[in-house]
Amino acid sequence: NYQIDGISDMLKSLKFQFYYTRVDHLMNTRYRIGPFMQTDAESKTYGGRLEANLGDLTLGFEAYRRNWDAVTFLQVMPPHLRTQSSIPDVDTESFGLYGEYKRNLSDRLRLVAGLRLDTTKTKADRSKANTNLYYDYKGTRSTSKTDTYPSGNVQLFYELQKGTELFVGLGHSVRVPDAQERYFALIRPPAVGDWVGNPELKPSKNTELDLGMKYSTDKALIKATAFYSFVQDYITVHEQDRVNGSPPRKARSYENVDAQFFGGEVDLRLSLTQKLFLFGGMSYVQARKETKPGFPKNIDSSRVAEIPPLKTRLALRYDKGMYFGEVETILSATQNRVDRDLQEEKTSGYGVVNVKVGGNFRGFTLTAGIDNVLDKKYFEHLSYQRDPFRIGVKVPEPGRTFYVNVSYTF
């Protein structure tokens, strides 16, 4: 990152950013009972951004390129392995132009608005892609797609009275399908089913309305927000029937459906005394999706996968500045709004208690604590859609855990 400030009266600043990352991830089932399986996945991403601040107006350009390549080895008959390019050397290239405008319309009312235009191209290596599998399940042999799409938002903040602010925002954003969702291809045993991407997937387009309120005094801070989101062409995982060729088979795949999300959260911070503080929070979300029952999509459940249940947090903190102590409890409701198509299961609610103490002295910070003090056995809400390495067993969160952290700042 590099920033130049005070260039001229008109051009307040210029910001430059560049990044690069590379991941090589080898996954296998050597410690599991059953046929051997291994995937070697590699991803490389680089990109950058140039942003100019013109006072009330900010203009920018950004671009990135990502390559994702994965090779999977499946044991057919010991010791024979079948080698497949499960993610066939896919490039994703994206370019975007954006602008943001901020303006105080009056002493109490301020405006924030933004516009953006992006174009993204995804392309698989045709020599590695299993286009026969795409054709068998999706009726296409496409290995590239270009998407151009606008997005933007408008936000208004109104100070109702000193310390009380109301907020409303309307936004539209787009997510392009990734390399796995479009071009994954893996032939597996019939009992398990194949796994295939959908080259004709459309980008997901989210239009969302947000409402909020913030109330603050010397002793209290309360924030509350609510939202409603309509996602056109939401990407869901489903069981796809084979539509070309024989014999009949099924595959784990991806499909566009319309979906709706709504919910909200509340955050509370309260000074009981000069040294004693109460913190609280609650979040909740509901989601529904379009169904496409029967052959060949088999999307029967209107529930959306991986949606968290109602969750709350309460904490009491004693803080002297040089040292502090805190007790918190985290409560989660039962999650019974599950996607049966993906074999999601009901997850029971739970409550855990955590404690921690800490202090600061001459640049040193020491924090020690115990998580899950009562050694409660509990599970976070889970999904079983992440083939091929799922085992269909819920894995509990850690029991009573002790930790000590020490840091030094200079």
Side-chain angles (χ1 to χ4, degrees), residues 93-244:
E93 298 175 340
S94 184
F95 304 88
L97 293 169
Y98 63 91
E100 184 179 67
Y101 181 71
K102 298 180 179 180
R103 181 82 180 265
N104 290 328
L105 302 179
S106 71
D107 293 340
R108 294 189 173 188
L109 184 65
R110 58 191 174 97
L111 167 74
V112 178
L115 285 175
R116 185 180 177 103
L117 181 66
D118 291 89
T119 183
T120 302
K121 181 178 181 180
T122 54
K123 183 178 181 181
D125 186 334
R126 196 170 185 85
S127 66
K128 295 181 179 180
N130 190 340
T131 57
N132 290 333
L133 207 58
Y134 303 156
Y135 181 75
D136 284 351
Y137 288 97
K138 298 297 183 178
T140 181
R141 297 185 184 275
S142 172
T143 55
S144 68
K145 200 169 185 65
T146 300
D147 302 287
T148 301
Y149 44 93
S151 56
N153 67 84
V154 177
Q155 304 170 65
L156 287 172
F157 300 84
Y158 181 72
E159 187 178 21
L160 189 63
Q161 59 186 32
K162 186 178 179 180
T164 303
E165 184 177 69
L166 304 179
F167 158 82
V168 60
L170 180 65
H172 179 79
S173 62
V174 181
R175 184 181 80 83
V176 173
D178 64 28
Q180 173 179 282
E181 292 165 336
R182 272 186 173 158
Y183 301 116
F184 199 93
L186 190 65
I187 299 174
R188 301 187 294 181
V192 180
D194 301 324
W195 186 7
V196 59
N198 183 353
E200 299 299 331
L201 275 179
K202 301 174 184 176
S204 297
K205 297 169 282 292
N206 177 26
T207 301
E208 181 171 316
L209 175 67
D210 295 320
L211 301 172
M213 182 273 291
K214 182 174 74 172
Y215 173 76
S216 61
T217 66
D218 294 338
K219 292 188 175 183
L221 174 63
I222 302 173
K223 294 181 181 179
T225 60
F227 76 93
Y228 171 80
S229 172
F230 175 75
V231 185
Q232 183 181 0
D233 295 321
Y234 176 80
I235 298 173
T236 187
V237 179
H238 73 123
E239 293 290 342
Q240 168 80 43
D241 285 310
R242 191 183 207 173
V243 294
N244 293 305

Side-chain angles (χ1 to χ4, degrees), residues 273-277 279 317-326 357-367:
T273 69
Q274 289 186 335
K275 302 180 181 66
L276 190 63
F277 305 90
F279 301 92
R317 182 184 180 98
Y318 181 80
D319 198 326
K320 279 277 289 184
M322 287 189 62
Y323 58 88
F324 73 90
E326 182 175 297
V357 296
N360 306 284
F361 183 72
R362 293 185 178 179
F364 285 94
T365 300
L366 172 68
T367 305

Side-chain angles (χ1 to χ4, degrees), residues 34-47:
F36 180 76
M37 182 178 192
Q38 177 172 290
T39 294
D40 188 4
E42 183 177 356
S43 177
K44 291 177 287 187
T45 305
Y46 59 88

